[in-house]
Amino acid sequence: MERDPVDLLQPLWRALVVFRLITFGFACFGVWTRWDAIVHPYGAVLQLVVMGVWTVVSSIGYSRRWGRRNTRLAFADLIITVGCMYATLLAQPLIHIRGGASVLTSIWVAGPVLALAISRGRDGGLLGAVTVSMALLSLRGVDQLGKVLGNVQLLLVAGLVVGYAASTLRRAGERLREAIAAESATAERLRLSRSIHDGVLQVLAQVQRRGHAIGGEAVELAELAAEQEVALRTLMSSRPAAVGGGRIDLCAQLLPLATTKIDVVVPAVPVLLPPTAADELVAAVKEALSNVHKHAGAEARTWVVVEDLDDAVLVSIRDDGIGTTPALLERARTDGHLGVSQSIRGRITDLGGTATVRTAPGEGTEWELKVNRP
């Protein structure tokens, strides 16, 4: 049997196979105990043969991955099971069935209800239960409605409960796959990081030292080596965008912004936000960094710090550049420069957050972008 290490539905499929085999045995026992009361015994034998063959076929299918992944097998099971129910007419006249004689398929008919519930969730279970119930009602007739109602209730409850359980397990399996993939990616990143640290980073560090020592054109080579070292260190420290309840990791999106003049400091654990909020916050940070590059001076350094405040997320962008004054920022807005008013403040305001700036000539500029968690 092919195995999927994160297929949490496997126990349900195995239970279904066992259920099918046991209930077929019950059907055979029921025919044996009612043999003298059956009008056409050999019709009952033919019905049991068909049921037995299909029990084997469907059990093999549900035991293998292709059968569990193929909803058409469950629908075929439903159609053939309903056909087997009507095959009771080969053994008992319709008038006898409506007079109280048993439908020889017995509880075996619940098999496709459970199969559809596992395969398609609650809706599949309900579809199977309603279909089998309508077939049973057509055989029994309205005069036997009270007797049929109990079986209908059991079929509906089984379809709902198993369908809900299957849907819950399927969602859990998807989260488990994501966690395994993230863990594998992290392990591979750590392996590569060790290799890079032992080789490439040491070479780049040596190029930086030798370049500055030699001077002249070698200084430019040293600066390029420094940029590549920062890029590699950023790649080594990056992490996959953690997904949790439809949210993404803000830190994973901000870490790639680090350069030789930009330090990005983030918590050790993911800071989860809805994708729209995370994207807008990152765009505002990029606009703030763009302003630093344009106005703070060629030698200005910038620090981006992320803080998780439980009910909110605070991102600080601080530089040690030449700074400015609030009056000059306001004049820039009135002159039509919308980088601060729209690209930064506008984005954060649309998210229901706040954007605060502190600046003064010679003291650099600091932005605090605060976004509340929904």
Side-chain angles (χ1 to χ4, degrees), residues 80-137:
I80 293 175
T81 297
V82 170
C84 288
M85 293 175 66
Y86 284 110
T88 302
L89 297 175
L90 298 174
Q92 298 281 36
L94 182 61
I95 190 171
H96 287 197
I97 296 174
R98 293 188 172 178
S102 298
V103 177
L104 301 182
T105 48
S106 184
I107 197 175
W108 183 82
V109 298
V113 177
L114 301 179
L116 284 169
I118 299 171
S119 177
R120 306 297 298 178
R122 178 198 61 192
D123 294 341
L126 283 176
L127 174 63
V130 169
T131 302
V132 172
S133 297
M134 294 298 293
L136 184 60
L137 182 61

Side-chain angles (χ1 to χ4, degrees), residues 49-341:
V49 169
V50 174
M51 290 171 58
V53 171
W54 180 246
T55 297
V56 172
V57 172
S58 61
S59 296
I60 292 174
Y62 294 142
S63 298
R64 300 183 181 276
R65 187 173 181 179
W66 65 263
R68 297 194 296 267
R69 301 284 179 137
N70 190 353
T71 305
R72 286 178 294 183
L73 178 61
F75 279 111
D77 193 359
L78 179 64
I79 293 171
I80 293 175
T81 297
V82 170
C84 288
M85 293 175 66
Y86 284 110
T88 302
L89 297 175
L90 298 174
Q92 298 281 36
L94 182 61
I95 190 171
H96 287 197
I97 296 174
R98 293 188 172 178
S102 298
V103 177
L104 301 182
T105 48
S106 184
I107 197 175
W108 183 82
V109 298
V113 177
L114 301 179
L116 284 169
I118 299 171
S119 177
R120 306 297 298 178
R122 178 198 61 192
D123 294 341
L126 283 176
L127 174 63
V130 169
T131 302
V132 172
S133 297
M134 294 298 293
L136 184 60
L137 182 61
S138 68
L139 286 171
R140 286 294 188 185
V142 294
D143 294 338
Q144 297 288 326
L145 183 60
K147 187 175 182 179
V148 172
L149 190 58
N151 294 328
V152 171
Q153 290 175 341
L154 290 176
L155 289 171
L156 289 173
V157 169
L160 282 172
V161 172
V162 175
Y164 177 78
S167 298
T168 301
L169 288 173
R170 188 172 288 108
R171 288 193 294 269
E174 292 172 357
R175 294 192 183 99
L176 181 57
R177 288 187 186 92
E178 293 171 357
I180 292 174
E183 183 179 359
S184 299
T186 300
E188 180 64 14
R189 184 177 290 105
L190 290 174
R191 186 187 67 80
L192 291 175
S193 296
R194 289 191 293 268
S195 177
I196 291 172
H197 182 272
D198 293 340
V200 180
L201 289 181
Q202 292 182 6
V203 172
L204 290 174
Q206 185 176 3
V207 171
Q208 291 179 62
R209 291 193 298 269
R210 294 289 293 167
H212 286 294
I214 295 172
E217 294 182 356
V219 173
E220 183 179 354
L221 181 61
E223 295 297 331
L224 291 174
E227 292 177 2
Q228 293 304 309
E229 181 185 4
V230 171
L232 281 174
R233 290 190 183 278
T234 300
L235 178 63
M236 290 164 56
S237 62
S238 65
R239 57 203 189 201
V243 178
R247 303 188 175 198
I248 62 176
D249 184 10
L250 174 66
C251 302
Q253 293 187 289
L254 290 178
L255 281 170
L257 300 180
T259 67
T260 55
K261 295 181 180 179
I262 301 173
D263 292 330
V264 180
V265 182
V266 300
V269 296
V271 177
L272 300 179
L273 284 174
T276 301
D279 291 343
E280 289 295 286
L281 190 51
V282 171
V285 171
K286 288 181 178 179
E287 181 63 26
L289 294 175
S290 176
N291 287 340
V292 173
H293 177 71
K294 294 176 183 177
H295 309 296
E299 300 301 321
R301 291 188 59 84
T302 309
W303 293 266
V304 178
V305 181
V306 180
E307 297 180 67
D308 192 343
L309 307 179
D310 292 333
D311 60 340
V313 175
L314 177 65
V315 180
S316 303
I317 307 102
R318 180 172 60 86
D319 67 72
D320 60 0
I322 61 176
T324 184
T325 65
L328 289 176
L329 289 177
E330 180 61 23
R331 184 183 303 173
R333 186 188 67 81
T334 58
D335 289 343
H337 300 288
L338 304 179
V340 170
S341 62

